[in-house]
Amino acid sequence: MAGALLERKTGVALWRQIADLIRSDIATGATAREGRLPPEMELARRYGVNRHTVRSAIAALEQEGVLRSEQGRGTFVRRRARLSYPIAKRTRFSAGIGGQAGSTRTRLLKSGREDASDTVAENLDIRPGSEVVRLETVSEADGVPVSRATSWFDAARFPDIDTAFGQHASITKALAACGVADYVRKSTVIEARHASAEDIELLRLSAGAIVLVTRASNADADGRPIQYAESRFAADRVELKIEND
Amino acid sequence: MAGALLERKTGVALWRQIADLIRSDIATGATAREGRLPPEMELARRYGVNRHTVRSAIAALEQEGVLRSEQGRGTFVRRRARLSYPIAKRTRFSAGIGGQAGSTRTRLLKSGREDASDTVAENLDIRPGSEVVRLETVSEADGVPVSRATSWFDAARFPDIDTAFGQHASITKALAACGVADYVRKSTVIEARHASAEDIELLRLSAGAIVLVTRASNADADGRPIQYAESRFAADRVELKIEND
DNA sequence: CTAACTTGTCTATTGTTATAGACAACTAAA
DNA sequence: TTTAGTTGTCTATAACAATAGACAAGTTAG
């Protein structure tokens, strides 16, 4: 690639920039997705830094579970490539990621009721301050957290969505149990941010990691909004794929 | 929001984390989008750091053009909120951003011919190694760079796309001049990364900034692929909005 | 004009990051 | 067994990041 070197005195430590580069190179396939990393001395030359700085980067990625170092042998890639999360009219987590991972599941972290904020009310097409049910979930593929989401439902229409989710561990099935046989994605807004402390904890990220944030609303067959959700995806584990058909 | 405080000894300096938080709060409207920031002492209390650390963050955002400090008066927000870039069947830069900015334009940085990589060949539905035309462009809204893109076209079908772009300064018009009256987006893949050195230069970002990367292919009315493009959006200036209809 | 409040500048100290060099410990191949 | 190549550990030093306190310089309201 074109001279993509490191930036100094920018508030981001060199070892972290290098760790991010290595992680990204593994994910995109620029570096061997499996097998061995170049020796520390060669990486130091390549990035124009001291060997100890490279070692700090490698240590961070070891902590993260991306690399594994063996004395005398070398440093090896551990984790597989990025998952691809499809966003289309019929967007469902397990169906979308299913083919790419051995197992998927969505856990309920917390549920409760609250008054709808302006944003939530607008997306659910109800009056601000109306009661809504909020679900906080984390989705995993092969035991690795991939995304976390906060979903809101109109409490007047789906008073039991939380217990239904508790039984089925799936938004799609919980909605089915509440009488919504089918639903479609109305719109999705995507941004990218640095991970918050909560993201880091729940998605098991390293500090400085990036999350893809989506804000989406789903509607039933009649076009009535039924769910509004804000999701946060670990950007080093997943990419979003939009099918325009 | 819930205790989203700062992370220490993570390779990302506190002043940079604070700068990113303030920038993001301005963009999302959590802090006044215009008007005055709270005094440095209050921000220091809020983030649990020394006033000098807050000052470093503010200095970085001043350098970036987001804030403006005036001795004795306070610190003020300069730049407007995030643009929303719609991704749909008919995705075009100027039409999409047009309503939100005073002026938009796309500049050609470089063009040339090369042999198609596997990725490019697959997306253009040609044989790997076939000749393709590559265009490197930067798009601006109100003079601020919003995205940069690399586009590939089948050289056999669009031998003059580079000169056509030079005349019209628009992909849509250049394609029209080459006989493609209409085209639609086939698919879009989105990821997020830290900005590369090139991103920082071309999009005028600060180090540690985030870019949204999209890889998209467009096809003509017959469904034949005509363009494959990799774009990089400044994540603090733009969000991507997907319309599923 | 005065008082309260704000940003700007200076000094000093401590902890983190980066560099440099040396050598130990381990692995694999000659 | 030897040798070359690799990761692991240690010491030392310099640059940057963060804290602490004090005061100057500017603005605004009373």
Side-chain angles (χ1 to χ4, degrees):
Chain A
M1 293 296 146
L5 277 176
L6 305 176
E7 309 280 321
R8 283 165 194 258
K9 29 188 164 177
T10 60
V12 183
L14 292 179
W15 64 263
R16 172 141 296 288
Q17 296 184 56
I18 293 170
D20 292 341
L21 279 174
I22 292 176
R23 195 202 295 106
S24 148
D25 281 353
I26 292 170
T28 61
T31 290
R33 273 165 199 262
E34 46 196 46
R36 219 186 75 177
L37 230 61
E40 294 171 351
M41 277 305 288
E42 190 187 320
L43 289 173
R45 261 195 307 279
R46 180 183 303 180
Y47 294 119
V49 300
N50 190 274
R51 180 178 154 230
H52 295 291
T53 309
V54 169
R55 283 180 61 74
S56 297
I58 290 176
L61 292 174
E62 260 184 293
Q63 192 65 27
E64 222 178 291
V66 175
L67 297 179
R68 178 187 70 249
S69 287
E70 293 180 29
Q71 184 169 1
R73 296 194 63 217
T75 301
F76 302 85
V77 177
R78 256 189 161 159
R79 197 146 57 211
R80 73 180 162 300
R82 221 174 283 207
L83 298 170
S84 190
Y85 184 75
I87 294 184
K89 274 196 150 162
R90 262 151 242 283
T91 294
R92 285 109 173 92
F93 180 77
S94 54
I97 294 285
Q100 305 168 63
S103 68
T104 60
R105 71 167 185 157
T106 300
R107 278 184 308 124
L108 180 64
L109 294 181
K110 205 167 64 176
S111 67
R113 277 150 192 266
E114 62 188 29
D115 294 343
S117 68
D118 289 354
T119 308
V120 170
E122 186 182 329
N123 279 282
L124 290 180
D125 198 15
I126 58 180
R127 284 202 323 282
S130 309
E131 195 178 26
V132 289
V133 180
R134 188 174 78 175
L135 299 185
E136 308 237 7
T137 55
V138 169
S139 295
E140 301 178 348
D142 294 330
V144 180
V146 167
S147 69
R148 56 183 287 239
T150 304
S151 298
W152 288 269
F153 302 85
D154 182 357
R157 188 164 169 208
F158 301 104
D160 303 319
I161 188 76
D162 45 353
T163 59
F165 186 92
Q167 284 166 20
H168 300 98
S170 151
I171 297 277
T172 305
K173 289 180 188 162
L175 281 170
C178 293
V180 177
D182 191 24
Y183 62 92
V184 296
R185 177 75 56 117
K186 289 300 281 183
S187 77
T188 310
V189 172
I190 300 178
E191 353 169 15
R193 306 198 190 146
H194 285 112
S196 70
E198 246 178 333
D199 295 333
I200 287 168
E201 187 194 340
L202 294 171
L203 297 177
R204 286 190 244 138
L205 299 173
S206 60
I210 300 177
V211 289
L212 280 158
V213 183
T214 69
R215 299 197 298 276
S217 60
N218 285 314
D220 62 16
D222 304 333
R224 273 196 302 171
I226 57 177
Q227 178 195 16
Y228 173 64
E230 291 185 1
S231 305
R232 307 169 79 87
F233 293 82
D236 60 331
R237 292 175 202 155
V238 66
E239 61 186 19
L240 307 178
K241 182 174 174 63
I242 295 128
E243 303 288 357
N244 300 101
D245 346 88
Chain B
M1 291 296 155
L5 277 175
L6 305 176
E7 311 279 320
R8 283 166 195 258
K9 36 186 159 176
T10 60
V12 184
L14 292 179
W15 64 261
R16 173 142 295 287
Q17 296 183 54
I18 293 170
D20 291 341
L21 278 173
I22 293 176
R23 195 202 296 105
S24 149
D25 281 353
I26 292 170
T28 60
T31 291
R33 272 163 200 263
E34 45 198 48
R36 218 186 73 173
L37 229 60
E40 295 171 351
M41 276 306 286
E42 190 186 321
L43 290 173
R45 261 194 308 279
R46 180 182 304 181
Y47 293 119
V49 299
N50 191 274
R51 180 179 156 229
H52 294 291
T53 309
V54 169
R55 282 182 61 75
S56 297
I58 290 175
L61 292 173
E62 260 184 295
Q63 192 64 28
E64 223 177 293
V66 175
L67 297 178
R68 178 187 70 250
S69 287
E70 293 179 28
Q71 185 170 1
R73 296 194 62 218
T75 301
F76 302 85
V77 178
R78 256 187 161 164
R79 196 142 63 208
R80 75 183 160 298
R82 216 174 287 208
L83 299 169
S84 190
Y85 183 74
I87 294 186
K89 273 197 150 162
R90 264 150 239 285
T91 295
R92 283 111 173 91
F93 180 78
S94 55
I97 295 286
Q100 307 167 61
S103 68
T104 61
R105 74 165 180 155
T106 299
R107 276 184 309 123
L108 181 63
L109 293 182
K110 204 166 64 175
S111 67
R113 278 152 191 262
E114 64 189 26
D115 295 343
S117 67
D118 289 354
T119 308
V120 169
E122 186 182 331
N123 278 283
L124 290 180
D125 198 14
I126 57 180
R127 283 203 322 283
S130 308
E131 195 179 25
V132 290
V133 180
R134 189 173 79 176
L135 298 185
E136 308 237 7
T137 55
V138 169
S139 294
E140 302 178 345
D142 295 329
V144 179
V146 167
S147 69
R148 57 182 284 238
T150 305
S151 299
W152 288 270
F153 302 85
D154 182 356
R157 188 164 171 206
F158 301 105
D160 303 319
I161 187 76
D162 46 353
T163 58
F165 186 93
Q167 285 167 19
H168 299 99
S170 150
I171 297 276
T172 305
K173 288 179 188 159
L175 281 170
C178 293
V180 177
D182 191 23
Y183 62 93
V184 296
R185 176 76 54 120
K186 289 299 282 182
S187 76
T188 311
V189 172
I190 301 179
E191 354 170 12
R193 305 198 192 146
H194 285 110
S196 71
E198 247 179 333
D199 295 333
I200 288 168
E201 187 194 340
L202 293 171
L203 297 176
R204 284 189 245 140
L205 300 173
S206 59
I210 300 177
V211 290
L212 280 159
V213 182
T214 69
R215 299 197 298 275
S217 61
N218 285 314
D220 62 16
D222 302 333
R224 273 196 302 170
I226 57 176
Q227 177 194 16
Y228 172 65
E230 291 184 3
S231 304
R232 307 170 77 88
F233 294 82
D236 60 331
R237 294 178 201 150
V238 65
E239 62 184 19
L240 307 178
K241 182 175 175 62
I242 294 129
E243 304 287 358
N244 300 100
D245 354 83

